[in-house]
Amino acid sequence: MQRRREIRRKTGLTAGGVAAALFVLWEYPWLFLGSVGAVAVGVMGWLVLQAHRRERDGDRAWRAKDRRMDLERSMTVIDDMSWQDFEHYVAELCRRDGCTNVTVVGGSGDLAADILGQMPDGRRLVVQVKHYAAHRTVPSDDMQKFVGMAFAEHHADVALFVATCEYGKAARQLATKHNIVALNRNLFGSWNSGAPLSSLLPLSGAGGGTRSRRRTNPTP
């Protein structure tokens, strides 16, 4: 008996709710149309938002791929440079990153230094550049010459060795031991694509020499 009364009560409430809804729709049809319109606008807005997110994510992926392709194309152009042009190109990268008094001195009698200049903070910058084919490695002899001259002859605070290839094991060990910043092909690619020189100095050797070798605002 109790269950029947409960069922009749729920049925009556449902019927009353339906009747009230029909009355409102009959008397105020604009309310129904407005509700339907609001729902439709909400659904359309959600669909547009999802489409925008998909387009944005696709654009990011395309830009990342395009940047990689630009870097590969840039390295291809660099590989086709002469060693003289590459020296001047590296000098321009130094200037781009705030180095001053940058001078290309490479050539006969350069004493293992191709570029001289000053870092933005005043430290003396000495650069050796090797434009080698990508499959080659920088031999120990090249690094020995630079180690022997960068500090003793050129009084480097930052001794930078830039190569378009990898370094041999012995050359890499010498660079680390003597605080030479050795940028291999990959690190140079990062520099070339916009990474500032200052961010690359800690990635290969100490990069600044010992305190006894540092001077304040030297003249290249």
Side-chain angles (χ1 to χ4, degrees):
M1 194 68 176
Q2 179 67 27
R3 180 175 178 79
R4 289 180 180 177
R5 285 199 298 268
E6 183 66 24
I7 291 174
R8 284 197 297 272
R9 188 179 69 83
K10 290 182 177 179
T11 302
L13 290 174
T14 301
V18 172
L22 291 174
F23 175 78
V24 171
L25 292 176
W26 179 262
E27 291 294 327
Y28 307 101
W30 56 266
L31 183 61
F32 171 74
L33 296 176
S35 299
V36 172
V39 172
V41 169
V43 171
M44 289 298 297
W46 183 82
L47 292 175
V48 169
L49 178 62
Q50 294 303 310
H52 173 71
R53 287 176 176 173
R54 288 193 297 270
E55 183 178 354
R56 180 192 61 192
D57 293 342
D59 183 66
R60 286 177 177 174
W62 176 83
R63 287 180 183 276
K65 181 179 179 181
D66 193 56
R67 282 194 296 270
R68 291 194 297 270
M69 293 177 65
D70 282 343
L71 177 57
E72 292 173 0
R73 286 196 294 267
S74 296
M75 291 306 297
T76 299
V77 171
I78 287 168
D79 287 337
D80 289 338
M81 289 181 180
S82 67
W83 63 266
Q84 296 97 331
D85 288 340
F86 185 59
E87 287 180 357
H88 285 276
Y89 185 74
V90 171
E92 283 303 314
L93 290 179
C94 293
R95 296 186 185 102
R96 181 201 72 185
D97 290 345
C99 296
T100 58
N101 299 322
V102 178
T103 306
V104 177
V105 296
S108 178
D110 60 19
L111 300 178
D114 295 315
I115 300 167
L116 301 176
Q118 286 177 266
M119 296 291 292
D121 59 7
R123 287 181 296 169
R124 185 174 178 80
L125 174 67
V126 179
V127 187
Q128 173 66 268
V129 176
K130 291 298 181 185
H131 188 266
Y132 288 159
H135 66 273
R136 291 186 57 182
T137 57
V138 175
S140 175
D141 288 351
D142 286 349
M143 189 61 69
Q144 288 178 37
K145 293 176 184 176
F146 189 52
V147 169
M149 302 303 289
F151 300 110
E153 178 66 27
H154 299 291
H155 309 293
D157 294 314
V158 176
L160 177 65
F161 199 120
V162 180
T164 53
C165 61
E166 294 297 330
Y167 291 86
K169 181 179 179 180
R172 174 66 67 184
Q173 290 174 340
L174 280 171
T176 302
K177 180 179 180 180
H178 296 281
N179 297 327
I180 304 296
V181 181
L183 300 189
N184 62 7
R185 185 178 181 85
N186 287 336
L187 287 177
F188 173 75
S190 297
W191 189 22
N192 180 53
S193 62
L197 179 58
S198 58
S199 71
L200 300 174
L201 297 185
L203 300 182
S204 178
T210 62
R211 289 185 181 273
S212 62
R213 286 174 177 154
R214 300 187 181 189
R215 301 186 300 166
T216 303
N217 295 327
T219 302

